[in-house]
Amino acid sequence: MSIRACFFVFALILGVSMTSPAIERTIDEQTARRLVEGALPALGESPKWMNVGPWRYYWAPEFYNFSVYRAGGQGVLVIYYISVNPWTGDVWDAMACKRITTPETKKEQDGIWKQSGIPSEARETLSNRSPADCSTYTRTGGTGKEKQENQGH
């Protein structure tokens, strides 16, 4: 294992923030945008009808964040807020806290991982990073009732 790989694994074990400048992003914004467009069919959307633009998501500044929208029927705007993990290329619906994937994006993500030089031991840890810590997310409409019921309270 290289010195860089040892440092990276050690940093993950200690819980060093992923926004540390020592750990550079492995993809650029153009690649992130391409991944978003490739994931749209999983949402039932065609990339040719969607507009993709930057979105400032303050709870996930290290991620690439996009608003993706199109005109819907009867003057309704269809909009998604999508975040892309800058180390793995994982695509997230930031509001639903759900990972979005298609066979094409999975193939590109595997290529990103191979080119990154990040040790394979870190892949699961980095892949589990979600925008705004989705691990604590519940779909309750803000009441917290569902979370309490799931915890047996």
Side-chain angles (χ1 to χ4, degrees):
M1 190 181 285
S2 72
I3 291 175
R4 179 180 177 198
C6 289
F7 172 75
F8 189 78
V9 171
F10 183 71
L12 286 175
I13 291 168
L14 290 178
V16 173
S17 170
M18 288 294 117
T19 59
S20 167
I23 304 170
E24 296 179 23
R25 293 175 168 186
T26 58
I27 64 171
D28 59 15
E29 186 173 355
Q30 184 177 0
T31 302
R33 184 181 296 264
R34 189 172 60 246
L35 287 164
V36 167
E37 290 171 351
L40 288 173
L43 297 172
E45 301 289 353
S46 172
K48 70 180 182 180
W49 300 112
M50 303 299 288
N51 295 299
V52 180
W55 171 51
R56 293 188 67 121
Y57 190 35
Y58 297 103
W59 291 273
E62 70 276 16
F63 278 66
Y64 290 107
N65 300 294
F66 301 94
S67 61
V68 184
Y69 58 94
R70 68 171 169 81
Q74 300 177 351
V76 175
L77 183 66
V78 176
I79 190 165
Y80 300 93
Y81 295 102
I82 308 294
S83 296
V84 179
N85 182 311
W87 299 282
T88 63
D90 290 336
V91 180
W92 289 83
D93 180 329
M95 295 294 108
C97 262
K98 291 170 66 174
R99 200 174 308 208
I100 307 166
T101 191
T102 63
E104 292 78 22
T105 57
K106 177 71 174 123
K107 185 177 180 180
E108 189 163 353
Q109 289 161 347
D110 288 342
I112 289 166
W113 189 258
K114 287 177 186 172
Q115 292 177 358
S116 73
I118 298 172
S120 58
E121 297 87 16
R123 186 170 191 172
E124 184 177 348
T125 302
L126 287 173
S127 289
N128 288 334
R129 284 206 36 106
S130 59
D133 191 16
C134 289
S135 64
T136 60
Y137 178 78
T138 57
R139 294 192 64 128
T140 62
T143 65
K145 183 177 179 185
E146 180 180 296
K147 187 175 182 179
Q148 289 174 351
E149 290 173 358
N150 289 340
Q151 293 175 347
H153 297 287

